[in-house]
């Protein structure tokens, strides 16, 4: 159902200046992250001296104004100023339809101040350890960011987000060739500083079965977590499905309970450059609302994840085409 006319002013509706639906969907997604909107509104701008810093401040002020506004807005100033602070973005604006997930992550990486971005920090850890030695310390690599990216490696990939984004060590699929382990290798432990295991013949022959594991921890102070999806198969829409046991209304991620409150979705043609982007948000009334550029938002009910009436291939659901999900703590 479409929202009544007397309630229309409580919505942000964004005009499309030509090929801007991806940006409009990302802005609707960010507006629903109320901690972000509040942080930008309360932020006290610094006095910048350089031209580049002044340009960045202009972009931030424009973004804050859009996210705090209701009614119909033309985001032209924000759109046109983005390439001045995000390198290499202008060709994408001029020639192709940029992915909504990509503009979202670029804004957080290059525009949002670090003190605000860290409120949404997700830390991912990946370790490799010997399979047959429970005492193996292995090697661990850590990465962190305001947005976690998950790669969709194949069409119609089935994902269990609760398992994927666990705060416990979870085994991940990977290479099965035996590997050298410097933490268990006697040669490495006895070696002096400067030992190069890649050139050592003893180390080269010391390979053993291993497992790779990963875990995720929410390190931010916000009530919101941002999850984005990247496509690895060229010129196809992000087609994936969420396992049936995953409940979008109550999901355990990174050791905490969350509910989905916003989604960026690609619809239409399978080839990304010819499709269209929209956003869905769950509001305080408990209903999900569809945001499509400057159209009046339309309610789709109290459940986002239901089987669509549209006939998708291979029995997939309306998670097909989803490029980002915003979760709120319960």
């Amino acid at each position: 159902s479409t929202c009544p006319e007397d309630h229309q002013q409580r919505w942000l509706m964004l005009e499309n200046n030509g090929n801007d639906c991806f940006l409009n969907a990302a802005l609707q997604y960010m507006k629903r992250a109320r901690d972000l909107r509040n942080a930008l509104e309360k932020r006290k701008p610094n006095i910048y001296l350089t031209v580049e810093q002044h340009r960045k401040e202009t972009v931030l002020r424009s973004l804050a104004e859009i996210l705090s506004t209701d009614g119909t807005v033309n985001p032209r100033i924000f759109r046109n100023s983005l390439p001045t602070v995000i390198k290499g973005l202008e060709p994408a604006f001029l020639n192709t339809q940029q992915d909504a997930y990509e503009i979202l992550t670029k804004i957080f990486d290059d525009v949002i101040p670090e003190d605000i971005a860290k409120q949404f920090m997700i830390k991912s850890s990946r370790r490799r350890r010997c399979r047959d030695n429970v005492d193996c310390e292995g090697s661990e690599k850590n990465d962190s960011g305001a947005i976690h990216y998950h790669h969709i490696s194949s069409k119609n990939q089935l994902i269990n987000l609760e398992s994927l984004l666990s705060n416990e060590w979870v085994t991940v699929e990977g290479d099965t060739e035996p590997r050298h382990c410097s933490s268990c290798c006697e040669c490495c432990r006895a070696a002096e500083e400067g030992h190069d295991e890649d050139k050592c013949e003893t180390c080269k022959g010391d390979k053993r079965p291993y497992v790779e594991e990963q875990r995720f921890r929410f390190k931010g102070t916000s009530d919101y977590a941002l999850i984005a999806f990247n496509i690895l198969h060229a010129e196809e829409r992000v087609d994936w499905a969420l396992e049936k046991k995953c409940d979008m209304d109550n999901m355990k991620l990174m050791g905490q309970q969350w509910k989905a409150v916003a989604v960026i979705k690609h619809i239409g043609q399978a080839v990304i450059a010819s499709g269209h982007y929209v956003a869905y948000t769950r509001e305080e009334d408990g209903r999900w609302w569809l945001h499509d550029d400057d159209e009046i938002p339309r309610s789709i009910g109290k459940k986002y994840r239901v089987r669509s009436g549209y006939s998708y291939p291979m029995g997939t659901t309306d998670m097909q085409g989803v490029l980002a999900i915003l979760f709120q703590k319960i």
Side-chain angles (χ1 to χ4, degrees):
S1 60
T2 303
C3 62
E5 188 171 334
D6 58 345
H7 290 171
Q8 289 177 21
Q9 291 304 309
R10 74 183 179 99
W11 300 104
L12 171 65
M13 294 172 284
L14 296 161
E15 294 181 12
N16 191 326
N17 295 290
N19 206 29
D20 280 351
C21 58
F22 71 94
L23 179 60
N24 290 346
L27 289 169
Q28 294 287 2
Y29 176 98
M30 287 189 287
K31 183 178 176 67
R32 185 57 182 82
R34 296 195 170 92
D35 287 0
L36 172 63
R37 187 178 67 193
N38 293 338
L40 290 175
E41 288 178 357
K42 295 176 182 178
R43 176 180 169 272
K44 295 181 179 179
N46 295 322
I47 299 175
Y48 292 108
L49 300 177
T50 68
V51 173
E52 183 176 351
Q53 290 170 330
H54 177 72
R55 287 173 176 170
K56 187 171 182 178
E57 183 62 35
T58 300
V59 173
L60 276 170
R61 289 178 180 176
S62 180
L63 175 60
E65 183 178 353
I66 291 173
L67 298 186
S68 62
T69 302
D70 293 326
T72 302
V73 174
N74 191 323
R76 183 185 293 110
I77 295 176
F78 177 66
R79 176 214 194 277
N80 291 344
S81 60
L82 272 176
T84 65
V85 297
I86 299 179
K87 294 181 180 179
L89 193 61
E90 192 167 8
F93 276 133
L94 295 175
N95 300 321
T96 62
Q97 181 166 359
Q98 183 72 299
D99 284 340
Y101 96 90
E102 186 172 339
I103 193 65
L104 181 69
T105 52
K106 283 183 180 293
I107 288 173
F108 267 87
D109 290 343
D110 299 340
V111 177
I112 303 294
E114 184 179 357
D115 62 320
I116 295 179
K118 70 180 182 181
Q119 297 177 30
F120 305 87
M121 195 67 66
I122 296 173
K123 181 179 180 181
S124 62
S125 303
R126 195 178 185 100
R127 74 177 181 183
R128 175 183 291 171
R129 63 181 182 84
C130 294
R131 188 185 65 195
D132 302 324
N133 181 5
V134 294
D135 297 323
C136 174
E137 296 179 357
S139 59
E140 184 175 335
K141 293 183 179 180
N142 296 307
D143 190 19
S144 60
I147 299 177
H148 169 66
Y149 316 76
H150 180 68
H151 298 299
I152 305 294
S153 57
S154 60
K155 289 192 66 176
N156 299 302
Q157 185 174 339
L158 191 65
I159 296 177
N160 183 325
L161 282 180
E162 290 183 306
S163 176
L164 171 71
L165 297 173
S166 172
N167 69 328
E168 304 292 337
W169 287 111
V170 176
T171 301
V172 296
E173 295 182 6
D175 192 358
T176 57
E177 290 292 325
R179 301 285 180 178
H180 174 257
C181 178
S182 58
S183 65
C184 292
C185 174
E186 293 182 7
C187 178
C188 288
R189 292 205 303 268
E192 297 180 357
E193 186 177 351
H195 174 68
D196 190 342
E197 63 186 61
D198 294 329
K199 295 181 179 179
C200 176
E201 293 300 323
T202 302
C203 292
K204 286 181 179 179
D206 182 24
K207 295 182 178 180
R208 54 196 79 196
Y210 73 96
V211 293
E212 286 196 3
E213 300 168 312
Q214 68 180 6
R215 67 178 177 181
F216 295 86
R217 284 163 288 177
F218 188 75
K219 307 297 288 186
T221 57
S222 172
D223 287 333
Y224 297 89
L226 300 88
I227 311 297
F229 299 90
N230 183 15
I231 189 167
L232 297 183
H233 42 95
E235 296 184 350
E236 297 284 354
R237 191 174 62 223
V238 179
D239 290 347
W240 64 283
L242 189 64
E243 286 194 352
K244 289 183 179 180
K245 59 184 177 181
C246 293
D247 184 1
M248 295 271 282
D249 297 328
N250 191 340
M251 193 175 292
K252 188 174 183 179
L253 311 172
M254 302 172 285
Q256 303 179 55
Q257 298 300 131
W258 305 80
K259 62 180 179 181
V261 294
V263 168
I264 298 176
K265 183 180 176 69
H266 179 270
I267 58 177
Q269 300 279 335
V271 179
I272 286 180
S274 60
H276 182 61
Y277 292 96
V278 296
Y280 293 85
T281 64
R282 189 213 301 258
E283 301 300 331
E284 299 302 328
D285 60 7
R287 289 184 291 174
W288 282 88
W289 293 83
L290 167 63
H291 304 267
D292 188 353
D293 290 334
D294 58 352
E295 292 185 9
I296 298 172
R298 177 171 58 86
S299 174
I300 62 168
K302 292 192 174 183
K303 289 283 186 180
Y304 173 79
R305 192 187 175 222
V306 294
R307 287 194 173 273
S308 171
Y310 184 80
S311 179
Y312 290 120
M314 297 181 63
T316 53
T317 69
D318 56 3
M319 299 305 294
Q320 196 173 49
V322 169
L323 287 153
I325 305 175
L326 177 69
F327 287 100
Q328 182 180 1
K329 287 181 185 176
I330 297 177

